[in-house]
Each structure stands twice: as C-alpha cells, then as structure tokens.
Amino acid sequence: MNKVPMTVAGEKQLRQELEELKSEARPRVIAAIADAREHGDLKENAEYHAAREEQGFIEGRVQEIEGKLSGAQVIDVTKLPKTGKVIFGVTVELLRVEDEASFTYRIVGEDEADIKERRISVTSPIARALIGKEEGDVAVVKTPGGDVEYEIESVEHL
C-alpha cells in the first residue's frame, strides 16, 4: 500500500471530520430513519429514502477517511532541519520572473489542497517543479500557456 503524505494539520482536520461523522451525523440519520419508519409504508416514504441515502453517503465518507488515515504518512515539517530546500510541508515565497508578482504557497497533501487558502497539492505542476530546489533557484513550471519561471525567495518550515 502506498503511503500518502499529509501534514499534521491535514491529519487533525480529517480526524475531526471523522469524529463529527461518527458522533453527530450517524446518530442524527439513524434517528431520522427511525422517525420516518413510524410514518408507515416505506415504499412511498420520501423521508425514509432520503435518510437512507444520507446514511449511505455518511458511511462512504467514514470509510474513505479511515482509508486515507490508515495510509497516511504524517510529516511534521517543523521537526525537520531547515536547509532552504523545498520539501513537502514547507511554505514557499515565490517571485514570478516575467512580472515580479509575488506568491506564497504551502505544499500539502492532495486532500488538504485549497488554492484560496494558498495550499497547493504536492502533485500539482507548480509543486513538482519546486520540490528539491533551494532558495534563490529558478523553477520552470510547464503550463498550457507556456513555461513560467518562478524564483524561490524563501522557504519556511511553519
């Protein structure tokens, strides 16, 4: 089984979601199913079918999260030596060479990625171009619009 890299924050977030699903969502849906059963004929009971469908989604998500957590390799970047090299979990400040626009991204696991929060997946083209480079290096990212060069301004272990 392949290990999937995950940050400490990503693991915590998944564990919280799992706990919420098991302690709140599951009992709520079970109660809704029991309540809908009391209304009589189950064949034509829309509330019952909706609750059963929601139960299926919850159970599927619980299994998905448990699978991800069992295959997770949690990496705490704050405990790794600071070398100035871009690795999984670091926060990178970049300067786009062509127009000197500045960007800051944190390289995280696939499930944690959220561009609005400036978290990019380790499998994204920009992260793949950055991994292994050091502060001061220029990384070339291949995009549909052509190659884009980014200079690595700083690498932080946050």
Side-chain angles (χ1 to χ4, degrees), residues 17-37:
E17 182 181 351
L18 182 63
E19 180 62 29
E20 182 181 312
L21 287 170
K22 286 183 171 181
S23 65
E24 295 174 22
R26 245 187 205 163
R28 179 179 44 78
V29 169
I30 290 170
I33 290 172
D35 185 44
R37 279 188 177 147

Side-chain angles (χ1 to χ4, degrees), residues 11 53 80 97 136:
E11 180 196 30
E53 189 173 318
L80 298 174
V97 175

